[in-house]
Amino acid sequence: MSATPDPQLQSLVERSLARLGAAAGGPVDDPRLRRVVAASDFAADTLERQPDLLRHLLESDGPLPIPAPVLDPDQPAEWPAVLRRYRAAESTRLAWRDIIGLDDVETTLAGSTVLAEQCLALALEACERDFATRHGWMRTTGGEVRRLIVFALGKLGGGELNFSSDIDLVYGYDSDDLAEASDGPRPLAAEPYFSRLGQQLARLLGEHTADGFCHRVDLRLRPYGSAGRSAWSLASMELYFQQEGRDWERYAWQKARPVAGDLDGGAAFLEVLRPFVYRRYLDFGALEGLRDMKAAVSAEVARRELADDIKRGPGGIREIEFLVQALQLIRGGREPALRRRGVLPALAALRQARHLEEEAAQALGSAYRFLRRLENRLQMLRDDQVHALPDDPLDQARIACGLGYPDWETLRAALDQHREQVTAEFAALLGGREQGQAPAALAVYWRALPE
């Protein structure tokens, strides 16, 4: 951007350019850089700390991901800083390309997903080596090393991670034919072995240091939540879901996939878990679970005044996710093509299977892209996990300008239009035949219900 209409924003940009020029050893005024620093303090701070990255982006716009670092096994004290600098650099590359319009929102979400996966893989391998120096390796009775399985749920599982999100993980391990204890100088049984290893992994990624954080790790989606053990054997998890699995866990595990460690073991377990997630019959009961969750969400919105929360508020991201997942659960047991993890691929599958009409699918897809792009920009501003619209006029100007709107009011009008469409479709999903309503998005389902 060659000029910034808001005087305060113009002043902010000039100050940022001065700092970046000092760090780079010379003037760095560039229209692309102006747009980036206007939209993201996080990117400006990273570029000031990593001037080589600034030069790289000015020269090429960063078409390829930043190469992953190597974690020196002899320097574990350096791992947190190395991972955090890498995550900051690659996140800044993604922000740069998003802000100047080179990447669409799907590409940015996919890039954030791949970055988290890369950090998980690097961190787990480093933790395993370090852990083995004290406790050895957990092996089968035949001597084969058995690794931790890291399952990703939520947006990481769906391949659509937002810019500054927690990563929802569940730890598992295959206990079949496992030795009684690890083979190191301080042996551990399987459950404490994998639980402690997983906790070390979470600390390495999530603890705040002088270099910030890499990825915040949320382990609360495991069985029994925070009250449950950190790592579960696959056999114990299977038994849990058979006997105690709840509706919300069906939704959560719809998006699950293994992202680090024993990938083959994780994939095999998800095949075993499929009947829990997707029932073999037409599962209209899935709507009841959705109604319960919606009631809980609505109560939270009312209690916390989340009307301006674009994730949890009315017509927000969560309503689109719930709507799409409910439609998948109803038919997914009989139609494997509907078992897609991401929201946009699932919307396409539902439309192609004629379970969602074209107009509804387009409206939901457009709203989802808009909301996720806005969510990313809110988080790119300062690398905060925020979903609420800002109150500060300068922040409002930065978000609106960065998204190409002349002012905040115009952006809000576009947002309100999308949210109204989502609210209408979501209300239609939760409606009933007793109301005499058969909305376009769900008419096929209401017709199929028995009298």
Side-chain angles (χ1 to χ4, degrees), residues 16 19-20 36-37 40-49 92:
S16 293
R19 289 196 303 271
L20 290 169
V36 170
V37 300
S40 175
D41 289 342
F42 165 75
D45 292 344
T46 303
L47 294 172
E48 185 177 357
R49 292 194 301 269
T92 297

Side-chain angles (χ1 to χ4, degrees), residues 171-175 191 229 231-238 269:
Y171 298 144
Y173 60 92
D174 185 354
S175 59
E191 191 275 323
R229 51 187 178 270
W232 284 65
S233 73
L234 300 184
S236 295
M237 276 205 288
E238 181 182 359
F269 175 72

